Amino acid sequence: MAPGAKPDRVAGENRLVVAIDGPAASGKSSTAHRVAMRAGLYHVDSGALYRAATAAELRVQPDVSRWTEAGLLTAVGVVGLEARATGFRPTISGGDIEAEIRGAGVTRHVSLVAQMPGIRAWVNEQIRALARRYDIVVDGRDIGTVVFPDAALKVFLVADPWERARRRLSERFERQPTEAEIAEETGRLVQRDARDATQTVQAKDAILIDTTALTQEEQVSRIVALVDAARGRELDRGSAGGG
Ligand code: DC
């Protein structure tokens, strides 16, 4: 279904926001994507916006030691958001950047960019602008705490670091990784968790789901059921307020 097929919201009308937060490789993005498809929401990957900002700056200034927040804020002028069937993807000058933002260069430097308050404000404004028009499921680190503290549903996904590393490598290699490979990736993940710890916060009213022992289908089903329940609550609130 094309985004245009789902009705835009009228200004001032309530729209549904589902926040999915959690650490790196907790399966947030793929889960959020599937939840969007099943529940008829648009998926927005906030990490992809931090990655797009990083990619835009890498294009104009490959020397990372010369990066400044002001430079980054200029560079993001070329970043846009393109509507896809199930959500929005960042672009640079209208071009597809999916492979570029998942590459090693962007991954190495994105934590630095994500610590710049001006860039955080820019990302948050992009997402809030979408939420004024669409029912969305957003995945990230601080969506339920900072970006949408009033989200109708907040989920915080966690999984054992070893299992997160195993899943990530199985996807990347398309084979079962060895224990040595998993051990090395676990070390990298834990270091990344430490770098992103400041902004990775579980909201007090978030529902914690530990996916270590769940299949992706199980976690998606749980969240879709939670979305249905949240929609029911929003409808009740709307009719109570209206009548
Ligand atoms: O989820 P990811 O690996 O694509 O995130 C990329 C980087 O952006 C990572 O350093 C965490 C950061 N991030 C953040 O600080 N806040 C968000 N809401 C999403 C991502």
Side-chain angles (χ1 to χ4, degrees), residues 9-95:
R9 290 295 180 149
V10 175
E13 200 182 325
N14 288 339
R15 74 285 178 283
L16 190 79
V17 174
V18 175
I20 302 186
D21 289 305
S26 56
K28 301 180 299 285
S29 274
S30 44
T31 301
H33 179 79
R34 285 176 170 76
V35 168
M37 288 200 297
R38 292 249 309 259
L41 305 166
Y42 292 107
H43 173 214
V44 187
D45 172 356
S46 63
L49 278 161
Y50 289 101
R51 287 172 179 273
T54 309
E57 180 67 353
L58 267 176
R59 284 190 186 191
V60 293
Q61 179 53 272
D63 180 356
V64 177
S65 70
R66 298 175 70 174
W67 285 11
T68 61
E69 185 164 347
L72 259 295
L73 283 169
T74 304
V76 296
V78 294
V79 176
L81 280 162
E82 183 184 58
R84 297 286 185 96
T86 54
F88 292 87
R89 287 243 192 126
T91 57
I92 290 182
S93 306

Side-chain angles (χ1 to χ4, degrees), residues 2 4 11 17 43 49 53 87 114 123 126 130 164 178 184 225 233:
V17 174
H43 173 214
L49 278 161
V123 167
Q126 307 299 306
L130 291 176
R164 284 192 276 143
T178 65
E184 203 177 306
R233 284 196 304 275

Side-chain angles (χ1 to χ4, degrees), residues 22 30 49 57 82 107 150 167 169 217:
S30 44
L49 278 161
E57 180 67 353
E82 183 184 58
T107 300
D150 298 328
R167 287 178 189 168
L169 292 180
E217 188 46 37

Side-chain angles (χ1 to χ4, degrees), residues 9 14-20 41 131 134-138 143-145 147-155 203 205-207 223 225-238:
R9 290 295 180 149
N14 288 339
R15 74 285 178 283
L16 190 79
V17 174
V18 175
I20 302 186
L41 305 166
Y134 303 97
D135 288 348
I136 56 175
V137 49
V138 193
I143 306 303
T145 47
V147 190
F148 296 111
D150 298 328
L153 172 65
K154 301 176 187 179
V155 172
D205 52 350
I207 295 165
I223 299 173
L226 290 167
V227 171
D228 289 343
R231 275 193 167 126
R233 284 196 304 275
E234 293 285 290
L235 281 177
D236 287 348
R237 259 205 347 212

Side-chain angles (χ1 to χ4, degrees), residues 21-25 28-29 45-48 50-51 102 107 110-112 114-115 120 123-124 127 139-143 147 168 192 196 199-200:
D21 289 305
K28 301 180 299 285
S29 274
D45 172 356
S46 63
Y50 289 101
R51 287 172 179 273
R102 305 294 162 197
T107 300
V110 65
S111 291
L112 168 76
Q115 271 151 33
R120 299 201 73 78
V123 167
N124 296 349
I127 307 171
D139 73 278
R141 302 292 198 286
D142 59 344
I143 306 303
V147 190
R168 166 160 286 192
R192 252 193 87 190
D196 293 330
Q199 64 261 27
T200 310

